[in-house]
Coordinates of all heavy atoms in Angstrom, one line a residue:
M1 N 0.8 -1.2 0.0 CA 0.0 0.0 0.0 C 0.9 1.3 0.0 O 0.6 2.2 -0.7 CB -0.9 0.0 1.2 CG -1.8 1.2 1.3 SD -3.3 0.9 2.1 CE -4.0 2.4 2.2
T2 N 2.0 1.2 0.8 CA 2.9 2.4 0.8 C 3.4 2.7 -0.6 O 3.4 3.9 -1.0 CB 4.0 2.1 1.8 OG1 3.5 1.9 3.1 CG2 4.9 3.3 1.9
M3 N 3.8 1.7 -1.3 CA 4.4 1.9 -2.6 C 3.3 2.5 -3.6 O 3.6 3.3 -4.4 CB 4.9 0.6 -3.2 CG 6.2 0.1 -2.5 SD 7.5 1.4 -2.5 CE 7.9 1.4 -4.2
S4 N 2.1 2.0 -3.4 CA 1.0 2.5 -4.3 C 0.8 4.0 -4.0 O 0.6 4.8 -4.9 CB -0.3 1.7 -4.0 OG -1.4 2.2 -4.6
L5 N 0.8 4.3 -2.7 CA 0.6 5.7 -2.4 C 1.7 6.6 -2.9 O 1.5 7.7 -3.3 CB 0.4 5.9 -0.9 CG -0.9 5.3 -0.3 CD1 -0.9 5.4 1.2 CD2 -2.1 6.1 -0.9
R6 N 2.9 6.1 -2.8 CA 4.1 6.8 -3.3 C 4.0 7.1 -4.8 O 4.3 8.1 -5.3 CB 5.4 6.1 -2.9 CG 5.7 6.2 -1.5 CD 7.0 5.6 -1.1 NE 7.2 5.7 0.3 CZ 8.3 5.4 1.0 NH1 9.3 5.0 0.3 NH2 8.3 5.5 2.3
R7 N 3.6 6.0 -5.5 CA 3.4 6.2 -7.0 C 2.3 7.2 -7.3 O 2.5 8.1 -8.2 CB 3.1 4.8 -7.6 CG 4.3 3.9 -7.8 CD 3.9 2.7 -8.7 NE 2.9 1.9 -8.1 CZ 3.1 0.9 -7.3 NH1 4.3 0.6 -6.9 NH2 2.1 0.1 -6.8
E8 N 1.2 7.1 -6.6 CA 0.1 8.1 -6.8 C 0.6 9.5 -6.4 O 0.3 10.4 -7.2 CB -1.1 7.7 -5.9 CG -2.2 8.6 -6.1 CD -3.4 8.3 -5.2 OE1 -3.3 7.4 -4.4 OE2 -4.5 9.0 -5.4
N9 N 1.3 9.6 -5.4 CA 1.9 11.0 -5.0 C 2.8 11.5 -6.1 O 2.7 12.7 -6.4 CB 2.6 10.8 -3.7 CG 2.9 12.2 -3.1 OD1 2.2 13.2 -3.3 ND2 4.0 12.3 -2.3
A10 N 3.7 10.7 -6.6 CA 4.6 11.1 -7.7 C 3.8 11.5 -8.9 O 4.1 12.5 -9.5 CB 5.6 10.0 -8.0
A11 N 2.8 10.7 -9.3 CA 1.9 11.1 -10.4 C 1.2 12.4 -10.2 O 1.1 13.2 -11.1 CB 0.9 10.0 -10.7
L12 N 0.7 12.6 -9.0 CA 0.0 13.8 -8.7 C 1.0 15.0 -8.7 O 0.6 16.1 -9.2 CB -0.7 13.8 -7.3 CG -1.9 12.8 -7.2 CD1 -2.3 12.7 -5.8 CD2 -3.0 13.4 -8.1
R13 N 2.2 14.9 -8.2 CA 3.2 15.9 -8.3 C 3.5 16.3 -9.7 O 3.6 17.5 -10.1 CB 4.4 15.5 -7.5 CG 4.3 15.6 -6.0 CD 5.6 15.2 -5.4 NE 5.4 15.0 -3.9 CZ 5.6 15.9 -3.0 NH1 5.9 17.2 -3.4 NH2 5.4 15.7 -1.8
Q14 N 3.6 15.3 -10.6 CA 3.9 15.5 -12.0 C 2.8 16.3 -12.6 O 3.0 17.2 -13.4 CB 4.2 14.2 -12.7 CG 4.6 14.4 -14.1 CD 5.0 13.1 -14.8 OE1 4.6 12.0 -14.3 NE2 5.6 13.2 -15.9
S15 N 1.6 15.8 -12.4 CA 0.4 16.5 -12.9 C 0.3 17.9 -12.4 O 0.0 18.8 -13.2 CB -0.9 15.7 -12.5 OG -2.0 16.3 -12.9
N16 N 0.6 18.1 -11.2 CA 0.5 19.5 -10.6 C 1.6 20.4 -11.3 O 1.3 21.6 -11.6 CB 0.8 19.4 -9.1 CG 0.6 20.8 -8.4 OD1 -0.4 21.5 -8.8 ND2 1.5 21.1 -7.5
T17 N 2.7 19.9 -11.6 CA 3.8 20.6 -12.2 C 3.3 21.0 -13.7 O 3.5 22.1 -14.1 CB 5.1 19.8 -12.3 OG1 5.5 19.6 -11.0 CG2 6.2 20.6 -13.0
L18 N 2.8 20.0 -14.4 CA 2.3 20.3 -15.7 C 1.2 21.3 -15.7 O 1.1 22.2 -16.6 CB 1.9 19.0 -16.4 CG 3.0 18.0 -16.7 CD1 2.4 16.7 -17.2 CD2 4.0 18.5 -17.7
L19 N 0.3 21.2 -14.8 CA -0.9 22.2 -14.7 C -0.4 23.5 -14.4 O -0.9 24.5 -14.9 CB -1.9 21.7 -13.7 CG -2.7 20.5 -14.2 CD1 -3.6 20.0 -13.0 CD2 -3.6 20.8 -15.4
G20 N 0.7 23.6 -13.6 CA 1.2 24.9 -13.2 C 1.9 25.6 -14.4 O 1.7 26.8 -14.7
R21 N 2.6 24.8 -15.2 CA 3.2 25.3 -16.5 C 2.1 25.8 -17.5 O 2.2 26.8 -18.1 CB 4.1 24.3 -17.1 CG 5.3 24.0 -16.4 CD 6.2 23.0 -17.0 NE 7.3 22.6 -16.2 CZ 7.9 21.5 -16.2 NH1 7.6 20.6 -17.1 NH2 9.0 21.2 -15.4
E22 N 1.0 25.0 -17.6 CA -0.1 25.3 -18.5 C -0.7 26.6 -18.0 O -1.1 27.5 -18.8 CB -1.1 24.2 -18.5 CG -2.2 24.3 -19.5 CD -3.2 23.1 -19.5 OE1 -2.7 22.0 -19.3 OE2 -4.4 23.4 -19.7
N23 N -0.9 26.8 -16.7 CA -1.5 28.0 -16.2 C -0.6 29.2 -16.5 O -1.1 30.2 -16.8 CB -1.7 27.8 -14.7 CG -2.5 29.0 -14.1 OD1 -3.5 29.4 -14.6 ND2 -2.0 29.5 -12.9
E24 N 0.7 29.1 -16.3 CA 1.6 30.1 -16.6 C 1.5 30.5 -18.1 O 1.5 31.7 -18.4 CB 3.0 29.7 -16.3 CG 3.3 29.7 -14.9 CD 4.8 29.2 -14.6 OE1 5.6 29.1 -15.5 OE2 5.0 28.9 -13.4
A25 N 1.4 29.5 -19.0 CA 1.2 29.8 -20.4 C -0.1 30.6 -20.7 O -0.1 31.5 -21.5 CB 1.3 28.5 -21.2
F26 N -1.2 30.1 -20.0 CA -2.5 30.8 -20.2 C -2.4 32.2 -19.7 O -3.0 33.2 -20.3 CB -3.6 30.0 -19.5 CG -4.0 28.8 -20.3 CD1 -4.3 27.6 -19.6 CD2 -4.2 28.8 -21.7 CE1 -4.7 26.5 -20.3 CE2 -4.6 27.7 -22.4 CZ -4.9 26.5 -21.7
M27 N -1.8 32.4 -18.6 CA -1.6 33.8 -18.0 C -0.8 34.7 -19.0 O -1.2 35.9 -19.1 CB -1.0 33.7 -16.6 CG -1.9 33.0 -15.6 SD -3.4 33.9 -15.3 CE -2.9 35.3 -14.4
E28 N 0.2 34.1 -19.6 CA 1.0 34.9 -20.5 C 0.1 35.3 -21.7 O 0.1 36.4 -22.2 CB 2.2 34.1 -21.0 CG 3.1 34.9 -21.9 CD 4.4 34.1 -22.3 OE1 4.8 33.3 -21.4 OE2 4.9 34.3 -23.4
R29 N -0.7 34.3 -22.2 CA -1.5 34.6 -23.4 C -2.6 35.7 -23.0 O -2.9 36.5 -23.8 CB -2.2 33.3 -23.9 CG -1.2 32.4 -24.6 CD -1.9 31.1 -25.0 NE -3.0 31.4 -26.0 CZ -3.9 30.5 -26.3 NH1 -3.9 29.3 -25.7 NH2 -4.9 30.8 -27.1
L30 N -3.1 35.6 -21.8 CA -4.1 36.5 -21.4 C -3.5 37.9 -21.3 O -4.1 38.9 -21.7 CB -4.6 36.1 -20.0 CG -5.7 37.0 -19.4 CD1 -7.0 37.1 -20.2 CD2 -6.1 36.5 -18.0
G31 N -2.3 38.0 -20.8 CA -1.6 39.3 -20.7 C -1.4 39.9 -22.1 O -1.6 41.1 -22.3
E32 N -1.0 39.0 -23.0 CA -0.8 39.5 -24.4 C -2.1 40.0 -25.0 O -2.1 41.0 -25.7 CB -0.2 38.4 -25.2 CG 1.3 38.0 -24.9 CD 1.8 36.8 -25.5 OE1 1.0 36.1 -26.2 OE2 2.9 36.4 -25.3
A33 N -3.2 39.3 -24.8 CA -4.5 39.7 -25.3 C -4.9 41.0 -24.7 O -5.5 41.8 -25.4 CB -5.5 38.6 -25.0
Q34 N -4.6 41.1 -23.4 CA -5.0 42.4 -22.8 C -4.3 43.6 -23.4 O -4.8 44.6 -23.6 CB -4.7 42.3 -21.3 CG -5.1 43.6 -20.5 CD -4.9 43.5 -19.0 OE1 -4.5 42.4 -18.5 NE2 -5.1 44.5 -18.3
L35 N -3.0 43.4 -23.7 CA -2.2 44.5 -24.3 C -2.8 44.8 -25.7 O -2.8 46.0 -26.1 CB -0.7 44.0 -24.4 CG 0.0 44.0 -23.1 CD1 1.5 43.4 -23.4 CD2 0.1 45.3 -22.4
R36 N -3.2 43.8 -26.4 CA -3.8 44.0 -27.8 C -5.1 44.8 -27.7 O -5.3 45.7 -28.4 CB -3.9 42.7 -28.5 CG -2.6 42.1 -29.0 CD -2.9 41.0 -30.0 NE -3.7 39.9 -29.6 CZ -3.4 38.9 -28.9 NH1 -2.1 38.7 -28.6 NH2 -4.2 37.9 -28.5
V37 N -5.9 44.4 -26.7 CA -7.2 45.1 -26.5 C -6.9 46.6 -26.1 O -7.6 47.5 -26.6 CB -8.1 44.4 -25.5 CG1 -9.3 45.2 -25.1 CG2 -8.5 43.0 -26.0
E38 N -6.0 46.8 -25.2 CA -5.7 48.1 -24.7 C -5.2 49.0 -25.9 O -5.5 50.1 -26.0 CB -4.7 48.1 -23.6 CG -5.3 47.6 -22.3 CD -4.3 47.4 -21.2 OE1 -3.1 47.6 -21.4 OE2 -4.7 47.0 -20.1
A39 N -4.4 48.4 -26.8 CA -3.9 49.1 -27.9 C -5.0 49.5 -28.9 O -5.0 50.6 -29.4 CB -2.8 48.2 -28.6
L40 N -5.9 48.5 -29.1 CA -7.1 48.8 -29.9 C -7.9 49.9 -29.3 O -8.4 50.8 -30.1 CB -7.9 47.6 -30.2 CG -7.3 46.5 -31.1 CD1 -8.1 45.3 -31.1 CD2 -7.2 47.1 -32.5
L41 N -8.2 49.9 -28.0 CA -9.0 50.9 -27.4 C -8.3 52.3 -27.5 O -9.0 53.3 -27.7 CB -9.2 50.5 -25.9 CG -10.2 49.4 -25.7 CD1 -10.2 49.0 -24.2 CD2 -11.5 49.7 -26.2
A42 N -7.0 52.3 -27.4 CA -6.3 53.6 -27.5 C -6.4 54.2 -28.9 O -6.3 55.4 -29.1 CB -4.8 53.4 -27.2
R43 N -6.6 53.4 -29.9 CA -6.8 53.8 -31.3 C -8.2 54.3 -31.6 O -8.4 54.9 -32.7 CB -6.4 52.7 -32.3 CG -4.9 52.4 -32.2 CD -4.5 51.2 -33.1 NE -5.0 51.4 -34.4 CZ -5.0 50.4 -35.3 NH1 -4.7 49.2 -35.0 NH2 -5.5 50.7 -36.6
L44 N -9.1 54.1 -30.8 CA -10.5 54.5 -31.0 C -10.6 56.1 -31.0 O -9.9 56.7 -30.2 CB -11.5 54.0 -30.0 CG -11.8 52.5 -30.0 CD1 -12.7 52.1 -28.9 CD2 -12.5 52.1 -31.3
P45 N -11.4 56.6 -31.8 CA -11.6 58.1 -31.8 C -12.1 58.5 -30.5 O -12.8 57.7 -29.8 CB -12.6 58.3 -32.9 CG -12.7 57.1 -33.7 CD -12.2 56.0 -32.8
Q46 N -11.9 59.8 -30.1 CA -12.3 60.3 -28.8 C -13.8 60.2 -28.6 O -14.3 59.9 -27.5 CB -11.9 61.7 -28.6 CG -10.4 61.9 -28.5 CD -9.8 61.2 -27.2 OE1 -10.6 61.0 -26.3 NE2 -8.6 60.8 -27.2
D47 N -14.6 60.5 -29.7 CA -16.1 60.5 -29.5 C -16.6 59.0 -29.3 O -17.6 58.8 -28.7 CB -16.8 61.1 -30.7 CG -16.4 60.5 -32.0 OD1 -15.4 59.8 -32.1 OD2 -17.1 60.8 -33.0
A48 N -15.8 58.0 -29.7 CA -16.2 56.7 -29.5 C -16.1 56.4 -28.0 O -16.9 55.5 -27.5 CB -15.3 55.7 -30.2
D49 N -15.2 57.0 -27.3 CA -15.1 56.8 -25.8 C -16.4 57.2 -25.1 O -16.9 56.5 -24.2 CB -13.9 57.6 -25.2 CG -12.6 57.0 -25.6 OD1 -12.5 55.8 -25.9 OD2 -11.6 57.8 -25.5
S50 N -17.0 58.3 -25.5 CA -18.3 58.8 -24.9 C -19.4 57.8 -25.2 O -20.3 57.6 -24.4 CB -18.6 60.2 -25.3 OG -18.8 60.3 -26.7
I51 N -19.4 57.3 -26.5 CA -20.4 56.3 -26.8 C -20.3 55.0 -26.0 O -21.3 54.5 -25.5 CB -20.3 56.0 -28.3 CG1 -20.7 57.2 -29.2 CG2 -21.2 54.8 -28.7 CD1 -20.4 57.1 -30.6
I52 N -19.1 54.6 -25.9 CA -18.8 53.4 -25.1 C -19.2 53.6 -23.6 O -19.9 52.8 -23.0 CB -17.4 52.9 -25.2 CG1 -17.1 52.4 -26.6 CG2 -17.1 51.8 -24.2 CD1 -15.6 52.2 -26.9
T53 N -18.9 54.7 -23.1 CA -19.2 55.1 -21.7 C -20.7 55.1 -21.5 O -21.2 54.6 -20.5 CB -18.5 56.4 -21.3 OG1 -17.1 56.3 -21.5 CG2 -18.8 56.7 -19.8
S54 N -21.4 55.8 -22.4 CA -22.9 55.9 -22.2 C -23.6 54.6 -22.4 O -24.5 54.3 -21.7 CB -23.4 56.9 -23.2 OG -23.3 56.5 -24.6
E55 N -23.1 53.7 -23.3 CA -23.7 52.4 -23.5 C -23.4 51.5 -22.2 O -24.3 50.7 -21.8 CB -23.1 51.7 -24.7 CG -23.6 52.3 -26.0 CD -23.1 51.6 -27.2 OE1 -22.2 50.8 -27.1 OE2 -23.5 52.0 -28.3
A56 N -22.2 51.7 -21.6 CA -21.9 50.9 -20.4 C -22.8 51.3 -19.3 O -23.1 50.5 -18.4 CB -20.4 51.0 -20.1
A57 N -23.2 52.6 -19.2 CA -24.0 53.0 -18.1 C -25.4 52.5 -18.2 O -26.1 52.5 -17.2 CB -24.0 54.6 -18.1
Q58 N -25.8 52.2 -19.4 CA -27.2 51.7 -19.5 C -27.3 50.3 -19.1 O -27.7 49.6 -18.5 CB -27.6 51.7 -21.0 CG -27.7 53.1 -21.5 CD -28.0 53.1 -23.0 OE1 -28.1 52.1 -23.7 NE2 -28.1 54.3 -23.5

C-alpha cells in the first residue's frame, strides 16, 4: 500500500507541475491579449469613448 501511495503521490506531483506550467502559459496569453485590446482601445476616436461610456452606463 505504501508503494501504491508513493506512486500516486509522484503522479500527482507531476500532474501538478504540468498544470502549473499550463496555467503560466495561459496567463501569458491573457496578458498579451489584454495588451492588444488596450492598444485597440487607444486607437478609437475620442467620440467613441463617450459612446462606449454611455452604453456601459445603460
Side-chain angles (χ1 to χ4, degrees):
M1 179 151 174
T2 301
M3 291 304 292
S4 174
L5 290 173
R6 286 183 186 191
R7 282 192 297 272
E8 182 181 3
N9 191 27
L12 289 171
R13 286 180 188 271
Q14 183 178 18
S15 177
N16 189 42
T17 299
L18 293 173
L19 289 171
R21 289 179 187 156
E22 186 177 327
N23 188 44
E24 287 177 13
F26 284 137
M27 293 299 289
E28 184 177 332
R29 288 178 61 197
L30 181 62
E32 292 168 356
Q34 182 177 355
L35 290 175
R36 289 194 304 272
V37 168
E38 290 173 356
L40 288 172
L41 289 174
R43 292 176 51 194
L44 288 175
Q46 291 296 337
D47 56 343
D49 288 339
S50 62
I51 294 170
I52 292 170
T53 304
S54 66
E55 287 178 358
Q58 295 175 358

